[in-house]
Amino acid sequence: MNITINDKHLYDINAELTVVFALNTDELLHEGVLSELGFKATQDETCYISEFKTLYVGVEANEHDLFRSAAATAIRTLSAFNYKSLKLSQYDVNDEKGIFTALIEGFILGSYKFEAYKSKKSESTLTDILFSSRTLEDEASDISVIEETLIKAQVLAIATNYTRELVNTTPEDLFPLKLAHIAQDLSKENDLDCKVLNEIELKNENMNAMLDVGRASRHESQLIHLSYKPKEPRAVVSLIGKGLTYDSGGLSLKPAASMVSMKLDKSGGCAVLGIMKAVSELKLPVEVHGIIGAVENMIGGDAYKPDDVLTAKNGKTIEVRNTDAEGRLVLADCLCYAQEKVEADYIFDFATLTGACLVALGNYTTGLMGHSTKLKHSMSRSANNTGELVGALPFNRYLKKQLKSEIADISNVSNKPYGGAITAAQFLDSFITDENKQKWMHFDIAGPAYVESAWGYNPYGGSGAGVRMTVDWLSNIK
Ligand code: BES
Ligand code: ZN
Ligand code: ZN
């Protein structure tokens, strides 16, 4: 899809169709054909008037994320039509509401379809989207500013779709070594450094917790370390991703219904890849390391067991009481690796870590956890800027005690049923050194990473959660 900006008035731009986003306060609703057709401009309501070659889409309020959703609705609606080009106003780039960005993202995110396994792919005729650089009030805007906005929004939305595609790929096609190859391909295309550690190398690094989780799989575990190193970076950031290409639960086997969709358990790792892609394409002045623990959690005679005691990279011992709490074991080693190899100013991890986070915050919201209130605030701002939803879950010293083990340094699960998203994060916290406590933040994306029933601009499947807010946050580092 080709998105361009045109200096002309909307009326003078040559395209087959016009898209108009209508607020329910708009005068055009009260008279004429729209009113006759009963169009009320409720959010995502559409009205196509063939005579005017115009598609109207309702927007409930002047908020950027509602425009993102409406743009996705427009594209989805038009996929049933045969138009090749559409035009629209850029709405308001100058008042910094982010609506222009939202429209571009909405078009690209809304046009995403996962069809890798369909024998017949859908055909889309729409190839061109033309924005008039003039606002609705017909004011001219600075074309170089909006060109820049256009590029940034495209990079972000395309990176999100890239993450979605990886998440959606089946475990038979996307196993740890394959994920490592995908990272190597990205590194070649985007000029990143890429180091991959196989099981022998993981053993040399004493990453035994991660190795034990992957032991029963026929696929070798891999640690992927991508780095983007611009000259004179403003900060160094490590991003660690849970890359469970499949989570059967292991011997603490998941019930049949909960196992379906557990290909999603690589979403944290795939988000890290999407972020690395966007950061390098935007050439952000920040050094970014992406570290992914790619592992498959399976059953078999060689599987790690409840009752085992594992030794993590930093020498800490972990009593396994549930093999389905495997992500934190993989991340424990990856966090140790990240802290040992990279002297970072910020350390973020992304993981579909707990079902409890879904219980706490619902399907749509990422759980943010960590010691730095400032970091949580600034990330909430970036989430607001990009239409992602986050909620902070607070640590406390009582919950931490629930991870005590009688026989090892720590247990991999809490001994009480509630607060599971927090206890999982506090388990990770015990692998963060004292110097790094304030630099670290954990993103539990178990809710939003995978969409079971479509919402907003997210179709069924991987959503790319974490990508847009983190890239926004990284681009705001001063
Ligand atoms: N990958 C799951 C968490 C998950 C659940 C993600 C649902 C997305 C949707 C994780 O490895 C897991 O199984 N966690 C257990 C932890 C429990 C055994 C303490 C869970 O949440 O039930
Ligand atoms: Zn699990
Ligand atoms: Zn898992």
Side-chain angles (χ1 to χ4, degrees), residues 347-369:
I347 302 166
F348 298 161
D349 74 76
F350 300 83
T352 46
L353 204 62
T354 64
C357 199
L358 272 134
V359 177
L361 295 172
N363 284 101
Y364 312 103
T365 304
T366 293
L368 279 187
M369 284 156 268

Side-chain angles (χ1 to χ4, degrees), residues 242 247 254 262 264-265 322 324 326 352-355 413 446:
K242 171 177 174 181
D247 180 14
K254 285 185 184 292
M262 273 304 142
L264 67 79
D265 220 16
N322 190 318
D324 198 12
E326 82 300 333
T352 46
L353 204 62
T354 64
V413 287

Side-chain angles (χ1 to χ4, degrees), residues 389-447:
L389 298 168
V390 298
L393 297 173
F395 288 165
N396 68 59
R397 64 183 188 281
Y398 307 108
L399 282 170
K400 190 167 186 168
K401 285 196 196 133
Q402 296 177 17
L403 290 164
K404 265 183 90 163
S405 163
E406 295 291 335
I407 62 162
D409 297 340
I410 194 166
S411 166
N412 82 325
V413 287
S414 164
N415 56 23
K416 302 226 167 49
Y418 302 122
I422 298 173
T423 50
Q426 288 189 303
F427 176 91
L428 298 180
D429 176 37
S430 72
F431 292 87
I432 302 291
T433 64
D434 288 343
E435 308 83 79
N436 288 333
K437 293 284 187 211
Q438 292 295 320
K439 302 176 182 171
W440 168 69
M441 188 159 53
H442 163 62
F443 297 61
D444 194 332
I445 56 171

Side-chain angles (χ1 to χ4, degrees), residues 12 44 74 112 146 186 207 223 246 249 326 333 348:
D12 296 325
D44 296 331
Y112 175 76
I146 56 178
L186 178 68
M207 297 179 72
L223 180 118
Y246 200 69
E326 82 300 333
D333 271 350
F348 298 161

